[in-house]
Amino acid sequence: ILNVEQSPQSLHVQEGDSTNFTCSFPSSNFYALHWYRWETAKSPEALFVMTLNGDEKKKGRISATLNTKEGYSYLYIKGSQPEDSATYLCAFWSSIDYKLSFGAGTTVTVRA
Amino acid sequence: NAGVTQTPKFQVLKTGQSMTLQCAQDMNHNSMYWYRQDPGMGLRLIYYSASEGTTDKGEVPNGYNVSRLNKREFSLRLESAAPSQTSVYFCASSESRGPNNEQFFGPGTRLTVL
C-alpha cells in the first residue's frame, strides 16, 4: 500500500481569494499523478493527468504543478468561486503495483 | 452518452444477505474498476478488469467477487454481507489500464449492512 497524503484535509476560502493545497506521494517508482474533482452528490471527474517532472497543467482558474523528485504536487485555485466547492482527490500511479492509489482528499468550501 | 451507470443507488442489507452491484459503461472502454469509499480514507480498489475476460484483485478484495459480463458490464457481488462492508461503492472505467488514462466514475452505490 503506497501512502498518498493530502493536506490540509479541509479548507475554507472567501469568494474571490486564491488558495492552494498539497498532494505528497512516494518519489520513487513514479509513473503518473492524477487530480480529480468530486462535487457533492456527483461522481469524481478528472482534472489533470501529469507524468513529467516540472509539468504544469491548467484548466480555467485551476492549475497544478508536479515535482516528482521530491514527491509532491500542488493544486491552485485562482479567484475561488462557490462552484469550486468540492473535494479534490489526488491519485498516484506507481510502477510497483501498477495501479492508482488515492489520497483522502482536500475538501474546499468557498464562502460567498 | 450516459457514461458510467450504477445500480442500485442505495441499498440496505442485513448481515449475511447477498447482493450484486451492477455497473455499465457506454464509452467502449477496455478497463473497469470497483472502488470503495470510507470516511477519512481514499478510494480503495477492490477488483479491476483490465480487459474483457480478465479480472484481478485490488487492495481490498476479501468478501467480494466480480464478473466482467462483457465489454460494457462489470458487476460486484457480496456473497455474505458484513457490517464492515458498509460503504459507498464506485465503479469506474478507462480506455485501457495504464498510468496516463483518466478514469471515469459512476454515481456510486451507498450500501448499509445492518
Side-chain angles (χ1 to χ4, degrees):
Chain A
I1 299 172
L2 299 169
N3 284 333
V4 180
E5 304 287 340
Q6 291 189 247
S7 63
Q9 185 176 1
S10 64
L11 63 89
H12 295 259
V13 60
Q14 200 67 33
E15 183 177 358
D17 288 351
S18 297
T19 189
N20 65 85
F21 39 94
T22 309
C23 172
S24 301
F25 53 86
S27 57
S28 57
N29 304 300
F30 175 86
Y31 252 140
L33 194 285
H34 294 209
W35 280 101
Y36 291 83
R37 175 166 60 195
W38 186 7
E39 296 178 65
T40 303
K42 293 187 178 180
S43 313
E45 290 185 348
L47 284 171
F48 308 115
V49 176
M50 309 173 77
T51 57
L52 299 175
N53 185 45
D55 244 357
E56 292 188 26
K57 299 264 185 173
K58 187 175 181 181
K59 184 180 285 188
R61 293 177 291 96
I62 300 177
S63 60
T65 61
L66 178 66
N67 184 323
T68 62
K69 294 183 178 180
E70 296 183 39
Y72 64 84
S73 175
Y74 291 132
L75 194 84
Y76 300 88
I77 305 175
K78 183 178 179 182
S80 303
Q81 299 298 309
E83 59 264 31
D84 296 326
S85 296
T87 296
Y88 293 83
L89 304 173
C90 77
F92 166 69
W93 191 289
S94 158
S95 60
I96 293 178
D97 55 8
Y98 209 63
K99 70 173 183 69
L100 272 180
S101 296
F102 282 84
T106 293
T107 298
V108 175
T109 304
V110 180
R111 296 180 286 209
Chain B
N1 288 349
V4 180
T5 57
Q6 291 182 236
T7 55
K9 290 188 177 179
F10 302 94
Q11 184 71 49
V12 179
L13 293 177
K14 294 181 180 178
T15 297
Q17 287 184 316
S18 62
M19 78 161 295
T20 300
L21 281 64
Q22 306 287 352
C23 174
Q25 52 90 11
D26 62 3
M27 295 174 282
N28 201 35
H29 285 170
N30 290 301
S31 301
M32 298 185 73
Y33 314 84
W34 276 104
Y35 292 92
R36 61 178 288 173
Q37 169 72 51
D38 300 297
M41 303 183 74
L43 290 163
R44 291 185 294 168
L45 184 65
I46 304 171
Y47 271 93
Y48 67 93
S49 170
S51 60
E52 186 180 357
T54 70
T55 61
D56 284 286
K57 295 178 180 179
E59 185 184 342
V60 287
N62 290 346
Y64 305 96
N65 285 302
V66 290
S67 295
R68 184 75 183 265
L69 304 169
N70 47 56
K71 192 172 185 178
R72 290 186 63 249
E73 298 173 287
F74 188 39
S75 63
L76 178 73
R77 182 160 178 84
L78 286 69
E79 290 290 352
S80 179
S84 61
Q85 294 178 305
T86 294
S87 188
V88 181
Y89 291 85
F90 286 96
C91 177
S93 70
S94 63
E95 189 171 324
S96 63
R97 183 167 174 264
N100 296 341
N101 294 302
E102 65 180 89
Q103 294 187 7
F104 294 80
F105 287 84
T109 295
R110 187 172 294 275
L111 175 67
T112 301
V113 183
L114 302 175

